[in-house]
Amino acid sequence: MPRLFSAYVIVDWSAAAKPTTGADSIWIGVLKRDVRFRLAFESYNPPTRAEAEKRLTAILDDRKKHGERVLLGFDFPLGFPRGFAAALNLPGDQPWRAAWDQLDKMVKDKADNTNNRFGVGSEINRRLTGGPFPFWGCPPKDALTTLQPKRTRAHGPDDLPEFRHADLAAKGAASIWKLYYNGSVGGQAILGIPFVRRLKLARGEAVRVWPFETGFKALTEADLAGVDVVAAEVYPSLLKVQPGPGEVKDLAQVRATAEHFARLDEQNKLAALFGPPKDAAADVVLDAEREEGWILGAGA
């Protein structure tokens, strides 16, 4: 079976509130074939999300021009824990898309990285519980009645789950409800999902978001006919990465992740990773497809 992809683009996103480069900023890793058809890696470190969006658009346009299909991995959740859309009374029969549309209405993310992610978390908390839950984490200066710097209580049986099924399968993935501090992914998701939504809207059916639009199943060439880009959630910490001399950890992770998926694709092992773990229950598969999403390789 031929490879599913010709290029592998991995994005380490950032929720930074000002332009920043180096450690803990946006890194884009691109693994593609050079003029001799050998896989070669290049990286970009745009200081703002707006510049990252322009760079990614150019990268995808270039690969399309070459007739190459891209695996595009983002290191933040593309979906919320099961029940999120229903708890917010969001319209439509596709909970993941309803959540995306809602975030797009709420998020303000300026060209200089100034953004309202804490305000979005606070407002969603207000609508869900009227208090500082389930989102938490912010600088003390940004604290509000409905968003506090520290977690105010644990999740109970009547609350939305703290973790998605994929987070538990990945063993160590952070909860999307955590908006700030080391290891948080909530801010990245709030600011990143609207970008992936724009990418999808601009390119239509040429972009498929896994597993929402592809199904949570092993993919075949026939499944991807006419598809230029498969967008997926990745979790670089699933791999043991050793940065090279002077190499920023974030850069090392996007490089190693791209190389990992390229190697699996070469061995005809990548297609199976788009399906659920062998022991996944039917409700887990359904939750992943409808609302939560999944982390590529988690539980494999």
Side-chain angles (χ1 to χ4, degrees):
M1 189 173 78
R3 293 183 304 273
L4 286 179
F5 303 97
S6 301
Y8 311 84
V9 179
I10 306 298
V11 183
D12 183 356
W13 204 240
S14 168
K18 60 183 180 181
T20 182
T21 56
D24 300 320
S25 64
I26 297 173
W27 285 90
I28 302 171
V30 181
L31 193 63
K32 62 181 183 179
R33 301 202 176 271
D34 60 18
V35 293
R36 297 182 180 179
F37 296 100
R38 296 177 301 190
L39 282 174
F41 179 77
E42 59 190 35
S43 64
Y44 303 92
N45 185 208
T48 66
R49 285 177 294 279
E51 291 183 50
E53 187 164 344
K54 290 179 184 176
R55 173 61 68 180
L56 273 169
T57 298
I59 290 167
L60 296 180
D61 286 346
D62 185 57
R63 292 304 93 200
K64 180 178 175 62
K65 186 173 68 176
H66 286 81
E68 297 183 354
R69 184 185 299 133
V70 175
L71 172 62
L72 177 58
F74 293 98
D75 75 334
F76 54 80
L78 296 177
F80 285 83
R82 55 205 173 274
F84 177 76
L88 283 175
N89 294 312
L90 301 182
D93 57 2
Q94 293 180 300
W96 71 272
R97 194 182 296 273
W100 283 30
D101 291 347
Q102 182 63 38
L103 280 184
D104 186 66
K105 293 174 185 175
M106 300 176 77
V107 168
K108 301 291 184 288
D109 194 7
K110 297 182 180 178
D112 65 355
N113 267 2
T114 304
N115 65 81
N116 68 336
R117 69 190 188 278
F118 299 127
V120 171
S122 172
E123 174 59 17
I124 292 175
N125 278 352
R126 186 191 68 77
R127 297 185 190 183
L128 288 174
T129 66
F133 184 88
F135 279 115
W136 65 275
C138 63
K141 67 179 178 60
D142 292 304
L144 297 160
T145 306
T146 49
L147 185 71
Q148 291 294 304
K150 296 184 178 180
R151 193 165 78 149
T152 55
R153 66 178 177 87
H155 286 250
D158 296 328
D159 295 319
L160 290 172
E162 182 175 6
F163 296 102
R164 301 172 302 154
H165 297 302
D167 301 326
L168 299 177
K171 296 178 181 176
S175 168
I176 198 170
W177 306 123
K178 182 179 177 182
L179 291 179
Y180 196 58
Y181 308 116
N182 289 341
S184 63
V185 295
Q188 287 92 320
I190 285 175
L191 300 178
I193 285 174
F195 161 58
V196 185
R197 181 182 180 275
R198 288 192 294 276
L199 183 77
K200 165 67 185 172
L201 288 176
R203 295 169 188 265
E205 291 304 300
V207 171
R208 296 285 175 83
V209 182
W210 173 80
F212 304 132
E213 297 183 302
T214 62
F216 195 8
K217 62 177 185 176
L219 296 182
T220 66
E221 182 64 36
D223 292 325
L224 299 181
V227 175
D228 298 329
V229 178
V230 174
E233 179 185 347
V234 299
Y235 182 45
S237 295
L238 285 176
L239 306 175
K240 287 183 169 59
V241 177
Q242 189 63 44
E247 189 178 40
V248 172
K249 181 183 177 183
D250 312 273
L251 169 57
Q253 286 188 319
V254 297
R255 173 180 51 74
T257 303
E259 291 170 348
H260 173 69
F261 290 131
R263 190 162 50 248
L264 290 177
D265 205 3
E266 188 72 37
Q267 298 167 352
N268 291 327
K269 295 178 180 178
L270 179 58
L273 284 192
F274 290 97
K278 293 176 183 176
D279 60 349
D283 63 322
V284 170
V285 175
L286 186 61
D287 287 338
E289 287 183 333
R290 284 177 46 79
E291 184 158 26
E292 292 195 340
W294 197 262
I295 297 167
L296 190 58

